[in-house]
Amino acid sequence: MKSIKPVIVAAAMFLAFSTQVVQAKTFKMALGDAQGGTQYAMGEKFAELFTAKTGGKHKISMFPNGQLGSEQDTINDASMGTLDFSVLAINNITPFSPTVGVLTLPYVIQSLDEAVTLTRGDVGKELIENTIRDSGVRIVGWAYSGFRVLTNSKKPVKTVEDLQGLVIRVPKNEIMIATYQAWGVNPTPMAWSETFTGLQQGVVHGQDNPYITNAAMKFYEVQKYITNIRYIFSLEPLVVSESVFQDQKPAVQKAILEAGHEATLFAEQYLRDTEDKIKVDLAAKGMEISDPADGEKEWIEKATTAVWPKYYDSIGGKEKLDHILQLLGR
């Protein structure tokens, strides 16, 4: 009996260890942008926090630069439960959950502070619930990337008139397409994975993205001019497949939500700490930066007058937009 007892204890310990190994998981996270952008910084922070909060049991493997498909593909995959996490531009969620489009209407968000107010308040909570309902993914964190400034390879652009004749790449997003049309331009919808090559080959002359994305994607190699338009503040939600989330034990769900919240705070500070440095660096690399004429008045008037009314129904009614503007003191 004395010789059998240690064997039984050892077997029990091995079984317990084996069970822990089986339960441990490495989750996959897709990112549209390359390393160096806000998406990657936030994803990396989330992965670090999540692993720590699960006692090192669970880990996350990151797949940046569209390795797992386009951002809209990753929403489909997460909805079906074949992908765990994705960090993506909010405009790529809008086709699946139209009410989220209220945050991408031109000139609604006018500062980082306003973006924080909306995403981390009641408006954000409602949009999270809508996204779960509509697309089968849950927003658990927000990356803040700044305004989508306009870049091009041809000339300085300060007025809407200057924009005419330029071929501008946009994502396949109705609101963004409608905005450029309001400015008198028919933009070219183009997949993100094709954008650098399209700019390099002159298929398109320009595009818009935040400073941090322009730097991360090395657009300074194929673009010369930047215009500081403020028509969309780029939000990049971190989403988890709702079916994957529901399959986790309560402790793991708690770790996901807590890590998402803390990574959101990190992403906010990351933008505050890096954007001005990136502007200086892009100028040093030869990019010429200018502001729109007359405080962007013509750009704002044309976009808001033509675009907002088209999307009242899809965002949940004009009163939704009015409520948001009231929250922001406008």
Side-chain angles (χ1 to χ4, degrees):
M1 289 297 295
K2 288 182 180 179
S3 62
I4 293 174
K5 188 174 181 180
V7 173
I8 294 173
V9 172
M13 291 176 64
F14 175 79
L15 181 61
F17 176 76
S18 300
T19 302
Q20 287 181 346
V21 171
V22 170
Q23 289 177 342
K25 179 176 179 178
T26 298
F27 295 86
K28 288 185 177 181
M29 177 188 289
L31 305 101
D33 285 354
Q35 185 173 357
T38 311
Q39 287 190 7
Y40 194 94
M42 188 222 195
E44 189 173 49
K45 188 65 175 179
F46 175 84
E48 172 194 323
L49 290 164
F50 177 62
T51 297
K53 289 177 184 295
T54 59
K57 182 184 294 185
H58 298 307
K59 294 179 172 58
I60 291 177
S61 289
M62 297 171 62
F63 296 85
N65 214 14
Q67 292 180 53
L68 300 184
S70 72
E71 291 188 349
Q72 289 194 15
D73 288 341
T74 66
I75 287 288
N76 273 321
D77 293 343
S79 179
M80 293 185 294
T82 57
L83 175 66
D84 304 310
F85 294 93
S86 179
V87 187
L88 68 163
I90 194 169
N91 50 275
N92 286 313
I93 295 181
T94 305
F96 303 92
S97 188
T99 59
V100 177
V102 72
L103 299 183
T104 65
L105 287 176
Y107 299 104
V108 167
I109 297 176
Q110 289 293 285
S111 69
L112 172 56
D113 288 339
E114 290 189 353
V116 168
T117 295
L118 295 181
T119 55
R120 305 220 289 265
D122 290 340
V123 171
K125 291 175 183 176
E126 181 180 350
L127 293 178
I128 289 170
E129 291 302 318
N130 291 352
T131 303
I132 294 171
R133 178 196 67 205
D134 298 337
S135 58
V137 301
R138 176 186 293 260
I139 298 171
V140 295
W142 299 88
Y144 307 97
S145 291
F147 289 108
R148 295 182 71 110
V149 296
L150 175 68
T151 74
N152 84 93
S153 59
K154 294 294 184 182
K155 60 182 180 179
V157 172
K158 294 187 177 182
T159 67
V160 172
E161 179 62 29
D162 293 336
L163 193 60
Q164 308 312 303
L166 294 179
V167 181
I168 305 297
R169 175 268 175 187
V170 293
K172 297 175 183 177
N173 176 270
E174 290 184 9
I175 293 175
M176 298 173 77
I177 292 169
T179 301
Y180 276 93
Q181 289 173 339
W183 293 331
V185 173
N186 281 318
T188 301
M190 180 179 287
W192 183 233
S193 60
E194 300 170 3
T195 299
F196 187 94
T197 302
L199 294 167
Q200 187 177 45
Q201 296 178 348
V203 176
V204 289
H205 302 138
Q207 58 85 49
D208 65 64
N209 261 293
Y211 274 102
I212 198 164
T213 304
N214 286 310
M217 300 306 293
K218 299 184 178 181
F219 283 157
Y220 52 83
E221 295 181 357
V222 291
Q223 300 279 269
K224 176 69 174 176
Y225 304 98
I226 295 177
T227 308
N228 286 321
I229 59 174
R230 299 170 295 120
Y231 87 114
I232 289 179
F233 188 97
S234 188
L235 298 167
E236 295 176 314
L238 165 63
V239 302
V240 61
S241 165
E242 182 63 9
S243 61
V244 170
F245 182 80
Q246 294 300 337
D247 282 345
Q248 305 308 309
K249 292 182 177 180
V252 177
Q253 291 182 349
K254 183 172 182 284
I256 290 172
L257 296 176
E258 288 182 352
H261 174 69
E262 292 176 31
T264 297
L265 300 179
F266 169 83
E268 176 191 345
Q269 192 59 46
Y270 183 82
L271 179 62
R272 295 188 191 277
D273 291 342
T274 59
E275 187 172 51
D276 287 342
K277 297 175 185 176
I278 288 170
K279 290 179 185 179
V280 171
D281 185 57
L282 290 176
K285 285 181 165 62
M287 298 197 79
E288 296 182 14
I289 302 172
S290 59
D291 293 321
D294 196 22
E296 212 168 338
K297 182 178 178 181
E298 184 184 12
W299 301 74
I300 295 170
E301 183 177 347
K302 286 181 178 292
T304 56
T305 301
V307 178
W308 285 6
K310 289 182 180 180
Y311 295 94
Y312 287 153
D313 289 343
S314 65
I315 65 172
K318 182 177 182 295
E319 62 276 8
K320 290 286 185 184
L321 179 57
D322 290 341
H323 173 64
I324 284 175
L325 295 175
Q326 185 178 20
L327 283 175
L328 300 177
R330 287 192 248 131

